[in-house]
């Protein structure tokens, strides 16, 4: 099956710092999404981004489909950004998402 | 965007009993829903694909007789954990998408199951 690798696995930032999370995938994909899982387990959809660049406030994401990677940028991090960030890909339309192992982010005051 | 409602949010049950988890698509029809399981500090693993009006498709290693999936309508899929044991304690979460909409998958809020 398709491999989804995320890096780094863990990240500690001081409030206000910027960070870049990376997602590499092993095959062409129909869809790529970034999620933030909060402490209660809920998955918040951050970006639907099979290709190109999107921005939403302090967050932005870029997917280079031809090179099979995606990046999630967090700027001016806040303590509320803490949690686990997952990258997930859909191999073909209608297939389930395959998740990476996630990046666990802790933002300290 | 698509909204998926899942309940209960958490449940504690005794070993040997069964637990039913519901997942509803709100304001859209979902012919397919996916069920995932997440153990602590791990990623989400696909358990099964739920198809309206037909049998579910289970991933390798998932016992279909233990995890019963019913997708009787276009807006409701249920997962029943039968004869639950402590090792079934986990976080269960469903997802669906609006067909043809370029917005990806939406997830329910998840169900934390504890078997004692």
């Amino acid at each position: 099956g398709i491999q989804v690798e995320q890096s780094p696995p863990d990240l500690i930032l001081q409030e206000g710092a910027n960070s870049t999370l990376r997602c590499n995938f092993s095959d062409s994909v129909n869809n790529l999404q970034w999620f933030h899982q909060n402490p209660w387990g809920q998955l918040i959809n951050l970006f639907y981004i099979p290709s190109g660049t999107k921005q939403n406030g302090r967050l932005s994401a870029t997917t280079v489909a031809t090179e099979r990677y995606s990046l999630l940028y967090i700027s001016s991090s806040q303590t509320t950004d803490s949690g686990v960030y997952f990258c997930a890909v859909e191999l073909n339309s209608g297939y389930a998402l395959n998740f990476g192992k996630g990046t666990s982010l802790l933002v300290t005051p | 965007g698509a909204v998926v409602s899942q309940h209960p949010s958490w449940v504690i049950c005794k070993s040997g009993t069964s637990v039913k988890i519901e997942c509803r698509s709100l304001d859209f029809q979902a012919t397919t829903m996916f069920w995932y399981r997440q153990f602590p500090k791990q990623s989400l693993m696909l358990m099964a694909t739920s198809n309206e009006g037909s049998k579910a498709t289970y991933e390798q290693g998932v016992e279909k007789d233990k995890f019963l999936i019913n997708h009787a309508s276009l807006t409701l899929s249920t997962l029943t954990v039968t004869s639950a044991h402590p090792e079934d304690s986990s976080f269960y979460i469903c997802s669906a998408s609006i067909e043809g909409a370029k917005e990806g998958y939406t997830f329910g809020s998840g169900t934390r199951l504890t078997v004692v």
Side-chain angles (χ1 to χ4, degrees):
Chain A
I2 190 167
Q3 305 299 313
V4 183
E5 296 181 357
Q6 292 187 242
S7 60
D10 301 281
L11 186 59
I12 301 175
L13 297 175
Q14 199 155 20
E15 206 167 19
N18 303 326
S19 63
T20 301
L21 281 56
R22 187 177 179 101
C23 173
N24 293 330
F25 44 96
S26 61
D27 206 342
S28 299
V29 298
N30 183 64
N31 171 25
L32 185 147
Q33 291 180 250
W34 283 97
F35 295 92
H36 176 215
Q37 188 169 39
N38 65 24
W40 296 272
Q42 185 156 14
L43 280 174
I44 309 299
N45 184 21
L46 299 176
F47 293 102
Y48 165 79
I49 187 164
S51 64
T53 297
K54 291 185 178 180
Q55 181 159 5
N56 184 2
R58 296 181 296 104
L59 302 181
S60 63
T62 295
T63 296
V64 183
T66 53
E67 297 186 24
R68 299 180 184 169
Y69 73 88
S70 184
L71 302 173
L72 177 69
Y73 305 95
I74 305 174
S75 64
S76 304
S77 58
Q78 300 176 0
T79 55
T80 52
D81 294 332
S82 297
V84 182
Y85 289 80
F86 287 105
C87 168
V89 301
E90 177 191 28
L91 189 59
N92 285 301
S93 179
Y95 281 41
L97 289 175
N98 288 275
F99 281 77
K101 292 185 177 181
T103 293
S104 180
L105 173 65
L106 176 63
V107 181
T108 62
Chain B
V3 176
V4 174
S5 175
Q6 182 175 345
H7 69 88
S9 297
W10 59 270
V11 59
I12 301 173
C13 70
K14 292 184 176 181
S15 286
T17 61
S18 296
V19 173
K20 180 185 284 188
I21 302 168
E22 292 189 350
C23 185
R24 293 181 184 272
S25 57
L26 304 183
D27 299 328
F28 74 101
Q29 295 180 334
T31 54
T32 301
M33 290 188 180
F34 299 101
W35 287 94
Y36 294 80
R37 179 169 54 182
Q38 185 182 31
F39 291 107
K41 306 291 186 183
Q42 294 188 20
S43 186
L44 281 77
M45 297 300 295
L46 179 68
M47 296 177 66
T49 300
S50 171
N51 301 296
E52 187 270 335
S54 63
K55 291 184 178 180
T57 304
Y58 291 83
E59 295 301 298
Q60 192 172 8
V62 178
E63 300 174 56
K64 62 180 181 180
D65 294 329
K66 181 170 188 60
F67 299 98
L68 301 180
I69 291 175
N70 184 290
H71 195 150
S73 79
L74 286 171
T75 59
L76 175 64
S77 176
T78 61
L79 168 67
T80 301
V81 183
T82 63
S83 187
H85 288 97
E87 56 265 31
D88 299 323
S89 298
S90 188
F91 187 67
Y92 295 86
I93 191 166
C94 63
S95 77
S97 70
I98 300 175
E99 288 186 35
K102 298 293 185 181
E103 59 180 51
Y105 286 92
T106 298
F107 284 76
S109 54
T111 299
R112 195 164 302 280
L113 171 64
T114 302
V115 185
V116 297

